[in-house]
Structures are given as C-alpha cells and as structure tokens.
Amino acid sequence: MKTIHYLYALICVFLLIILFLFFTSTPANVTGQPHPRFDTMLSGGDSLSTKSNTHILGYLFGLCTVLTLCVFLILGAIRKNSLGAIRPWLLLSSLVYMIVYTLTFLSDTHYIKTNHTHFFNGWPMPTAWMIFGMWSAPVLFVCIYVFKFRDWILPLEDEERFYDLVAERKKRQNK
C-alpha cells in the first residue's frame, strides 16, 4: 500500500465521523436556557462531552488530525521512494505525539468526571497537558529537522549541484 493511501483512508475516516456526528441528536438544553434565579445568565443542560458517542467521535477526530499531520510529514520526508534512516525517528515522534494527545484527552475526560479537582502547577490537568505536552510533542519533529538537516533535507552533494546549476544559469543569462 502506498503512503498516499493512508492519507486517503484518514480522509474517509474524517468523512465517516462527520456524517455520524451530523446524524446524532444533540442533548436537550445543550445551548443553554434562562437561569431560574438570574435573568441575565444562561444555564446549560447536558454537556456534549458527557455523551459517549460524541465523546469518542471527538477523540477519533482529533486523533485523525494528529495522524494527518504525521502522514504529511512522512510524505514530505520521502526521498527517492524511501524514508531511509529518518523513518524510525519520524515514526517514534508520531507515536509520541499520538500518545500525548491521548493522555490529554483522557485527562480532560477524568477532569470532567471528577468535578475539576486535579491540578498541576496551578493549572487544571487538561490545560497543563495542552501547555506542556501538546505544545512540546511536535518539537520532536523540529529537532529531527534541525539535527538531520544534512542527511534528510539538503545533503552537501545536492547543495553543490544546486550551486552548479545556478552558476550555469548565470553564464547563460550573461551571454
């Protein structure tokens, strides 16, 4: 199976999730109703995040978004029909990113169920995962780019060939 087929499969999963959400009924009073005591305030009913099917579909949608980013990075890394030595690093970074996303999601689920009692450095746990985990997980891809630039992006031979082509073109333009 070609790598691009994985991207097509992810797009089909996105479509199925969106279609399923479209045909799912929303809980009563989810958008809010006038508060019984304070006229200027609205009070909400059931949360969409507590409905199991929307909760799971939200997780799958986010996971597919992370996977799409990873597939695009992997597609961009292919040189001469191969990933070469960069493959394990990209797969490991993709796995770490998906794990951090999953832990963030599970933290949010736990936070909702326990009435917001867990904090880290003064931040609610889901917020802490977003700040410290989801932000730093893609930095692994940046590190791969920085440290493997000569091996993966622009080897010295390719750079020399580029400068040779530029010099040849300048010679032709000056004639």
Side-chain angles (χ1 to χ4, degrees):
M1 190 160 140
K2 290 185 176 183
T3 310
I4 194 72
H5 292 126
Y6 293 113
L7 185 60
Y8 293 148
L10 282 172
I11 291 170
C12 289
V13 172
F14 273 122
L15 179 63
L16 289 173
I17 292 170
I18 290 169
L19 285 173
F20 195 75
L21 284 171
F22 182 75
F23 291 112
T24 301
S25 61
T26 57
N29 302 327
V30 74
T31 57
Q33 300 297 318
H35 193 275
R37 187 168 172 202
F38 303 103
D39 295 338
T40 58
M41 190 165 112
L42 294 176
S43 64
D46 293 334
S47 172
L48 279 175
S49 62
T50 58
K51 283 192 74 170
S52 62
N53 60 351
T54 54
H55 196 63
I56 291 168
L57 290 172
Y59 168 73
L60 291 175
F61 192 88
L63 188 64
C64 285
T65 304
V66 170
L67 279 171
T68 302
L69 170 74
C70 296
V71 168
F72 278 132
L73 289 170
I74 290 169
L75 282 174
I78 295 174
R79 291 179 55 101
K80 300 176 185 171
N81 295 325
S82 173
L83 279 174
I86 204 73
R87 181 180 184 184
W89 295 105
L90 284 175
L91 293 177
L92 179 67
S93 297
S94 298
L95 182 66
V96 167
Y97 198 14
M98 289 185 287
I99 289 171
V100 168
Y101 170 74
T102 301
L103 291 173
T104 303
F105 183 83
L106 292 175
S107 173
D108 182 57
T109 302
H110 182 69
Y111 188 73
I112 290 169
K113 288 179 181 176
T114 60
N115 288 329
H116 320 295
T117 57
H118 298 282
F119 291 87
F120 177 77
N121 277 350
W123 297 98
M125 283 304 291
T127 306
W129 271 108
M130 284 299 294
I131 291 172
F132 303 116
M134 289 298 289
W135 174 86
S136 59
V139 171
L140 293 172
F141 293 113
V142 175
C143 290
I144 292 170
Y145 180 82
V146 170
F147 293 117
K148 292 294 193 177
F149 184 81
R150 284 292 176 201
D151 299 333
W152 175 33
I153 305 296
L154 187 61
L156 285 173
E157 303 85 36
D158 291 352
E159 186 177 13
E160 290 170 3
R161 176 70 179 132
F162 171 74
Y163 286 127
D164 291 342
L165 290 171
V166 169
E168 287 176 27
R169 186 170 184 167
K170 282 185 181 180
K171 283 181 187 177
R172 279 188 271 138
Q173 286 178 348
N174 290 336
K175 287 184 179 181

